[in-house]
Amino acid sequence: MVKLKDLRAMTIDELEAKLIENKKEQFNLRIQQSTGQLQNTAVIRKVRREIAKINTLIAERKKNS
């Protein structure tokens, strides 16, 4: 997982790329969970929260610019 400090250092384009990457990971984790292959379900929560952090930063940057 990426720290907030590292996310703040990224540009909007980098944040959007990271967002897409995390959404793909979230999708794959949901598939694994539904098929019973996912052992650690806490990972889904971490990815979901990271997506929220990235969305918040993107919204802040767009509002300020």
Side-chain angles (χ1 to χ4, degrees):
M1 298 295 122
V2 180
K3 293 186 178 183
L4 188 59
K5 180 180 176 181
D6 298 331
L7 288 175
R8 288 194 184 276
M10 293 182 179
T11 64
I12 291 181
D13 293 334
E14 292 172 334
L15 286 172
E16 288 174 347
K18 184 74 174 165
L19 180 65
I20 291 169
E21 178 185 321
N22 280 344
K23 286 189 175 190
K24 286 180 182 177
E25 182 180 355
Q26 183 185 32
F27 176 76
N28 290 331
L29 289 171
R30 282 192 311 214
I31 297 299
Q32 288 178 14
Q33 185 181 29
S34 66
T35 59
Q37 296 174 350
L38 186 63
Q39 297 296 321
N40 186 6
T41 57
V43 178
I44 294 174
R45 183 176 183 181
K46 289 179 183 178
V47 171
R48 191 175 72 230
R49 288 188 175 185
E50 190 169 319
I51 289 171
K53 288 177 187 177
I54 293 170
N55 280 329
T56 302
L57 286 173
I58 290 172
E60 281 179 4
R61 299 244 175 105
K62 287 184 178 179
K63 180 182 177 186
N64 292 333
S65 58

